[in-house]
Amino acid sequence: MGRPPAVTGAPGAVGDTATTRRDTTARVLHGVVAACAVAGVGIEVARALAAGDAASAQRLVRLVGYFTIWTNVLVAGVSTLLVIRPRHDGPVFRALRLDTLLFVVVTAVTAHLVLAPYTAPDLAGRLADVLTHTVVPLATVVVWAAVGPRPRIAWRTCADALLLPAVWLVWTFVRGPALGWYPYPFLDAERLGTARALAGAGVVVALGTLLGAVLRGVDRTLPNAPR
């Protein structure tokens, strides 16, 4: 009698290998995004510290008020978590992951359409500007589309994701009078008046709400990831 053909691989083992490969790809991509965000923020901190004692303190205080810095710190944190657990889930995580997408879109649009043109006077500043306003926003969206995790956006997620932007706006309007400085001209209550500045903030929240709904639709349309 002939010997039965050798089994080259069990279906379960093949599936496990494919899953591991997808998770590895996701980890690498999330790691690249995190590294870019950390680099951009790190350069900005280094530039602030290089300004001198009094100037450094002022620049650092102002630095933590920028929405761009909040965006990149958030992206770095969420992406690092996804390096560790590329299939991570949970209500808090879902809101923060959606926030990364909302924040990067708002950051990129504001930088390139509302505040442009702006060019930093030094090479390090220009590099940080490209990283924080262009590379990280683009990479965050592309990597989310490629490796998720998805699906993660429900209507409750869209509502929860508005909490962090609201915190930043309150932080901005509380700090503004104390510092005599606002991070963006369309939120400058001293120059525009409180009503116009709050109206500008309302527009940002409304656009964030609309964008969240759009991203929910995209999240449900794209295939699950990682698979």
Side-chain angles (χ1 to χ4, degrees):
M1 296 179 61
R3 300 177 64 180
V7 178
T8 56
V14 174
D16 290 344
T17 300
T19 297
T20 300
R21 188 182 303 115
R22 295 189 189 101
D23 285 354
T24 299
T25 299
R27 286 188 169 98
V28 170
L29 293 175
H30 292 308
V32 170
V33 174
C36 290
V38 169
V41 174
I43 293 171
E44 290 289 17
V45 172
R47 292 177 70 229
L49 293 174
D53 292 341
S56 291
Q58 183 186 58
R59 290 184 68 168
L60 284 172
V61 168
R62 290 186 174 185
L63 191 65
V64 297
Y66 283 108
F67 190 78
T68 298
I69 299 301
W70 281 51
T71 297
N72 281 265
V73 169
L74 176 64
V75 169
V78 171
S79 296
T80 298
L81 176 60
L82 289 171
V83 170
I84 300 169
R85 299 179 61 185
R87 299 171 185 270
H88 192 66
D89 199 2
V92 174
F93 168 79
R94 288 186 175 205
L96 292 177
R97 182 53 170 162
L98 177 55
D99 274 330
T100 64
L101 299 171
L102 297 177
F103 277 41
V104 296
V105 172
V106 171
T107 293
V109 169
T110 301
H112 293 289
L113 299 181
V114 179
L115 301 178
Y118 167 78
T119 302
D122 58 307
L123 179 60
R126 291 192 290 273
L127 176 59
D129 180 61
V130 170
L131 284 171
T132 58
H133 292 122
T134 304
V135 174
V136 169
L138 181 60
T140 300
V141 174
V142 170
V143 170
W144 170 73
V147 296
R150 224 178 20 255
R152 294 290 188 276
I153 304 176
W155 288 120
R156 173 62 184 272
T157 311
C158 295
D160 291 344
L162 295 176
L163 176 60
L164 192 55
V167 169
W168 179 80
L169 285 169
V170 171
W171 161 264
T172 297
F173 284 117
V174 168
R175 277 169 37 106
L179 298 177
W181 173 85
Y182 293 81
Y184 303 104
F186 57 87
L187 296 177
D188 191 336
E190 291 186 358
R191 183 176 64 86
L192 299 175
T194 301
R196 289 183 63 188
L198 289 176
V203 170
V204 173
V205 173
L207 291 176
T209 303
L210 177 61
L211 180 58
V214 171
L215 288 170
R216 180 188 180 276
V218 176
D219 181 73
R220 301 290 163 167
T221 301
L222 292 174
N224 294 359
R227 290 181 292 173

